[in-house]
Amino acid sequence: MFIDTRRVEQGSVVQSTVCIIGGGVAGITLAMELDKQGIDVCLLESGGFAPDDGTRDLYRGEDVGEWRYNFADGSRSRFLGGSSNCWGGWCRPLDPWDFEKRDWVDHSGWPFGLSELAPYYDRTHALLKLGPNNFDPDFWERSIGRPDVRRMPLVSGKIRDTISQFSPPARFGKLYRETLKQSQRIRVYLYANATNIDTDRQGQNVTRIQVATLTGRYMEVKAKHYVLATGGIENARLLLASNKILPCGLGNGNDLVGRFFMDHPRLITGSIRFADEWARNKLSDVKYHYMNAAVAAHGTHVAHQFALTPEVLQEEGILNARVWFNSIFPGEGSEGAQALFRIKQAMLQKDQEDWNLGKDILTMVTHPLDTLGYGYTRLFQPRWLIKGVKFQLIVEPEPDPNSRVMLSPSQKDQLGMNRVRVDWRLTSKVKRTFDRTLALLAEDMRKSGVAQVELDTPLEGRKWPSDLEGTWHHMGTTRMHDSPKYGVVDRNCQVHGMSNLFVAGSSVFPTAGANFPTITLAALAFRLSEHLVREIRNSSSPLAMEAA
């Protein structure tokens, strides 16, 4: 059921077995799984069913990195469904070596391997509305069966073909709203902002959550178990801000909360001149393979990316990466093209701040040539209109303790909470990974007769270019490790040194791979739900009750 917190009695105390803070992919998945096991849940969602300016403002903070990094507007959505409201739908599990300790990657290694998470990845396909749990490029190429959707015959053996699937995308706040509404065990409190996690005097046991609305209403939630699922930035923020008992915040005895902040850096670079045979191939070009019915089978849209083999990654001493192509269309970057793109995003139900259909239609009408040129080329792909093709790639960020989320010492939001201060940093190994990945792929494309390639100046030894951007995959700030010296949570996502506080979402990722995090954080939510069920049932057993 849904409850508007703005209308609850002032000072109310809500009791529940589990309190989940955050109504995004991780939080909603957990709530629904616990409901299936007969466990009552209080789910706190900061927003309502749609975005509003007051709630959105709570995400804003200070960017103190070396380049401009927007981590609030457009990159996160603070209403039911969380960041699934602005998600592009890309899905692919992490690679096996992403979980491993790699001697050449600082702070790498998960407490468990891919085999531990594989059964939960399988369950994500129904949750995220994906196709069969099959990411074999040959399977999808054969299933699609089109001459203009083919893999390129690269000859070096250093490059891997990889496939990603697209969720429709699943907007959790809409897709699962009726399930939440009809549940007798899930109470979803809307407009409920967690402002503090209260603990006992030792800071080891959570006793309640302080909740406030923007209208001045206050209440408390008391539960046996608590799960923080507010995203890679807000998870760290709330732990740091809950500092009434421990001045450094909760789970932060080793100064790790907020550190190791990661995002996937992305660049569009180089110049590609394809041989005629490959000039209209849709499989690897983001302009054609994103949600394109031509690049689909088994009711599922897919995309193709290139990656280096694990042997090459080790030999080169570099990080994981994904590469695809990016055609440049007439009108690219113009006001008309941007308006057309926003309308497409709206059709995918993507949250866009201050989007206005009438304004965008007017923009397209006043820029007809740019709009028509961009739209016509996108639909019909006439080679004579395509202005060029570039590489687009994202690279795995190397975990760096100096890349971090902190509390602003001076800025506060409307609820009186310190805003965040984000310092996103990338190591020199990320630059080398960009350079070497592109160099090896370009060489292979030339040798294989697929294309002639010109690369831009290497990144190593110079400043990051101004067009570097993140992909808004906020990860790593409450990283997982068996030892509290190196992680905030253990392998079961339980905060070290705390008896009943857990963290869900991509903030627990020790490393990020070069894949899209939603499918992995959903798999971890399934895994955490099973652990919580065991904890609850064990604590309710006669032997446990007698011991208590």
Side-chain angles (χ1 to χ4, degrees):
M1 69 179 70
F2 291 107
I3 301 167
D4 189 332
T5 313
R6 298 171 300 182
R7 294 183 172 86
V8 301
E9 184 179 347
Q10 188 76 296
S12 295
V13 178
V14 175
Q15 303 277 353
S16 183
T17 301
V18 178
C19 174
I20 300 171
I21 307 169
V25 173
I28 290 176
T29 301
L30 271 170
M32 294 191 300
E33 288 302 300
L34 294 173
D35 180 29
K36 292 174 185 177
Q37 299 300 319
I39 296 169
D40 63 295
V41 175
C42 170
L43 178 63
L44 302 177
E45 166 55 51
S46 175
F49 295 127
D52 67 88
D53 290 338
T55 302
R56 180 185 281 122
D57 178 73
L58 300 175
Y59 267 158
R60 297 190 174 110
E62 299 178 59
D63 168 27
V64 296
E66 61 178 292
W67 57 84
R68 186 177 180 275
Y69 180 58
N70 180 20
F71 56 84
D73 298 331
S75 66
R76 295 183 287 166
S77 298
R78 197 160 172 147
F79 60 99
L80 189 68
S83 292
S84 74
N85 291 303
C86 54
W87 175 42
W90 302 78
C91 288
R92 177 181 170 81
L94 293 175
D95 294 319
W97 44 93
D98 291 327
F99 293 91
E100 298 170 358
K101 170 65 179 174
R102 290 165 283 170
D103 293 339
W104 65 96
V105 180
D106 288 343
H107 307 287
S108 60
W110 288 54
F112 49 79
L114 176 60
S115 60
E116 169 72 21
L117 213 52
Y120 304 103
Y121 273 132
D122 190 50
R123 293 170 62 184
T124 64
H125 282 249
L127 177 78
L128 300 173
K129 307 305 177 186
L130 300 173
N133 188 6
N134 189 327
F135 291 85
D136 175 33
D138 184 61
F139 168 81
W140 288 99
E141 183 183 37
R142 286 186 288 104
S143 296
I144 293 169
R146 290 178 56 119
D148 58 348
V149 181
R150 293 181 296 145
R151 289 180 292 160
M152 295 180 173
L154 302 182
V155 298
S156 72
K158 297 180 178 181
I159 309 297
R160 297 187 300 125
D161 293 304
T162 68
I163 289 291
S164 301
Q165 295 188 28
F166 288 110
S167 170
R171 308 296 184 204
F172 272 50
K174 296 179 179 178
L175 182 61
Y176 295 113
R177 184 180 303 175
E178 193 62 24
T179 300
L180 298 172
K181 179 181 178 181
Q182 296 299 327
S183 173
Q184 298 301 306
R185 285 178 288 266
I186 302 174
R187 288 169 291 169
V188 181
Y189 283 84
L190 301 173
Y191 304 103
N193 299 283
T195 57
N196 200 77
I197 303 172
D198 288 359
T199 68
D200 59 14
R201 292 183 178 181
Q202 291 73 40
Q204 297 176 349
N205 186 67
V206 177
T207 57
R208 62 182 176 179
I209 305 296
Q210 299 279 2
V211 179
T213 72
L214 290 173
T215 59
R217 192 77 58 168
Y218 294 91
M219 74 174 197
E220 301 174 357
V221 180
K222 293 185 177 181
K224 294 181 180 179
H225 301 272
Y226 301 82
V227 182
L228 190 53
T230 58
I233 292 177
E234 294 297 303
N235 279 351
R237 180 191 183 192
L238 189 53
L239 288 173
L240 292 170
S242 299
N243 54 16
K244 294 178 180 178
I245 300 297
L246 302 174
C248 60
L250 299 180
N252 200 31
N254 291 300
D255 190 26
L256 292 173
V257 173
R259 292 189 181 273
F260 297 98
F261 173 70
M262 296 181 290
D263 191 359
H264 289 118
R266 173 170 53 193
L267 281 174
I268 298 174
T269 183
S271 177
I272 306 167
R273 296 190 305 279
F274 284 109
D276 288 346
E277 181 182 1
W278 298 102
R280 293 172 64 90
N281 188 33
K282 297 180 174 67
L283 183 62
S284 306
D285 194 315
V286 68
K287 292 291 178 57
Y288 300 121
H289 69 198
Y290 182 69
M291 299 294 189
N292 189 342
V295 191
H298 307 288
T300 306
H301 296 94
V302 300
H304 172 271
Q305 299 93 26
F306 299 101
L308 300 179
T309 66
E311 294 79 15
V312 173
L313 295 178
Q314 183 172 7
E315 179 183 330
E316 294 280 343
I318 57 177
L319 302 150
N320 215 339
R322 287 288 187 279
V323 189
W324 52 97
F325 305 132
N326 190 92
S327 288
I328 308 301
F329 291 169
E332 185 112 3
S334 68
E335 291 183 28
Q338 290 175 5
L340 185 62
F341 178 78
R342 285 191 296 269
I343 289 175
K344 179 186 177 183
Q345 297 300 299
M347 292 173 65
L348 293 170
Q349 299 181 325
K350 185 173 182 178
D351 175 36
Q352 303 176 90
E353 183 188 13
D354 299 327
W355 179 70
N356 185 292
L357 175 60
K359 184 178 179 180
D360 274 345
I361 290 176
L362 180 62
T363 298
M364 292 191 298
V365 169
T366 54
H367 297 83
L369 294 180
D370 288 337
T371 304
L372 289 173
Y374 185 84
Y376 181 84
T377 309
R378 169 67 180 83
L379 286 174
F380 300 107
Q381 310 165 53
R383 278 190 298 178
W384 59 276
L385 277 179
I386 295 174
K387 299 175 66 177
V389 183
K390 293 179 175 291
F391 291 108
Q392 182 176 154
L393 70 163
I394 65 170
V395 166
E396 172 188 10
E398 185 175 31
D400 180 0
N402 294 312
S403 181
R404 62 189 301 196
V405 171
M406 303 163 282
L407 295 181
S408 169
S410 57
Q411 292 189 15
K412 293 184 181 292
D413 65 19
Q414 299 171 66
L415 298 171
M417 293 185 66
N418 293 77
R419 292 189 183 274
V420 289
R421 171 178 282 187
V422 177
D423 185 357
W424 182 38
R425 302 189 186 189
L426 296 167
T427 68
S428 59
K429 194 173 275 109
V430 176
K431 288 183 179 178
R432 174 169 171 76
T433 301
F434 271 111
D435 292 342
R436 292 301 298 150
T437 301
L438 284 177
L440 291 168
L441 177 57
E443 180 183 12
D444 207 342
M445 291 172 67
R446 294 188 198 105
K447 288 182 177 179
S448 304
V450 168
Q452 292 299 311
V453 179
E454 295 181 10
L455 297 179
D456 294 346
T457 304
L459 295 173
E460 280 194 284
R462 64 188 183 98
K463 291 183 178 180
W464 285 104
S466 59
D467 58 347
L468 176 79
E469 63 179 356
T471 46
W472 308 302
H473 302 156
H474 305 141
M475 304 168 285
T477 54
T478 63
R479 68 194 325 256
M480 183 191 302
H481 200 282
D482 283 332
S483 169
K485 292 183 179 180
Y486 305 108
V488 176
V489 302
D490 65 15
R491 63 177 57 222
N492 294 315
C493 298
Q494 184 169 354
V495 176
H496 283 295
M498 302 201 69
S499 65
N500 60 346
L501 180 60
F502 298 80
V503 181
S506 55
S507 69
V508 306
F509 290 12
T511 56
N515 289 330
F516 317 99
T518 303
I519 190 172
T520 298
L521 72 87
L524 284 169
F526 279 124
R527 183 174 178 271
L528 175 56
S529 72
E530 290 187 357
H531 178 74
L532 284 170
V533 169
R534 288 193 297 269
E535 288 275 303
I536 292 165
R537 289 180 176 167
N538 288 339
S539 65
S540 301
S541 68
L543 286 176
M545 295 293 288
E546 184 178 343

